[in-house]
Amino acid sequence: GAVVSQHPSWVICKSGTSVKIECRSLDFQATTMFWYRQFPKQSLMLMATSNEGSKATYEQGVEKDKFLINHASLTLSTLTVTSAHPEDSSFYICSARNDATNEKLFFGSGTQLSVL
Amino acid sequence: GNSVTQMEGPVTLSEEAFLTINCTYTATGYPSLFWYVQYPGEGLQLLLKATKADDKGSNKGFEATYRKETTSFHLEKGSVQVSDSAVYFCALVIQGAQKLVFGQGTRLTINP
């Protein structure tokens, strides 16, 4: 079946550093990918919609300069948390829409980010 | 706005017990409803879905019925197994939109 690989699965970093998270669709093409964030005991919240070859669309309240999204190919989107702070510590998860079927969404396994 | 509320976990049951995980929603349009499951170390997987009122989604022994009158989509299984231990997410999408709105997830642990 369709697989989305998300890497790394967990990362610990110092405050002020930047962290890059990768989301790859392994056996299908995905023009559209989505980035979600989940704080403890809260819902998965959509942060942004990543579109191959164009700028990402950010949800209200999400800082585009802090959460940089690059979707340079049909199989890879990256989320970079710039100048991370402890309040950015969260679980980040991506999903990819299969271009062939358009309906189905496939999710990565998530990245747990801890900022010290 | 659109939102999903799930019963708070964690939920711990013995094998072969009956499972219900409650999910209610508010929506401005006509939503499709979903249950996703996340097994340890894996991504979210679609478990079942229903696209209109009174539809019943089912998969792997799990069922959920789209109840418009109570704005609910409760997940049920008659006899759970240890392998059902996972986090379950209820979600909706307004038809025509791309955005999934998730509940907070319910962690389920089944003891042998």
Side-chain angles (χ1 to χ4, degrees), chain A residues 34 36 38 42-44 46 59 93 97 103 105 107-109, chain B residues 4 36 38 41-44 49 89 98-100 102-104:
Chain A
F34 303 89
Y36 293 84
Q38 184 183 29
Q42 295 186 29
S43 303
L44 278 163
L46 180 66
E59 295 300 302
I93 193 165
R97 184 186 300 280
E103 260 189 30
L105 274 183
F107 285 82
S109 54
Chain B
V4 176
Y36 283 85
Q38 185 175 28
E42 299 183 18
L44 273 71
K49 69 176 183 181
F89 292 89
Q98 292 195 96
K99 190 193 314 188
L100 271 169
F102 285 92
Q104 75 271 35

Side-chain angles (χ1 to χ4, degrees), chain B residues 11-55:
Chain B
V11 174
T12 302
L13 296 172
S14 297
E15 208 165 18
E16 298 183 4
F18 184 87
L19 168 72
T20 301
I21 300 177
N22 289 338
C23 171
T24 56
Y25 67 90
T26 57
T28 53
Y30 298 97
S32 295
L33 302 173
F34 305 83
W35 276 101
Y36 283 85
V37 58
Q38 185 175 28
Y39 298 105
E42 299 183 18
L44 273 71
Q45 302 172 27
L46 179 63
L47 179 61
L48 54 84
K49 69 176 183 181
T51 57
K52 60 183 188 296
D54 299 326
D55 268 2

Side-chain angles (χ1 to χ4, degrees), chain B residues 83-94:
Chain B
S83 56
D84 294 326
S85 298
V87 181
Y88 292 81
F89 292 89
C90 186
L92 68 80
V93 64
I94 300 300

Side-chain angles (χ1 to χ4, degrees), chain B residues 44-70:
Chain B
L44 273 71
Q45 302 172 27
L46 179 63
L47 179 61
L48 54 84
K49 69 176 183 181
T51 57
K52 60 183 188 296
D54 299 326
D55 268 2
K56 179 187 282 189
S58 60
N59 186 23
K60 298 181 181 180
F62 290 90
E63 292 182 341
T65 301
Y66 188 142
R67 301 282 188 205
K68 190 177 177 183
E69 63 276 13
T70 54

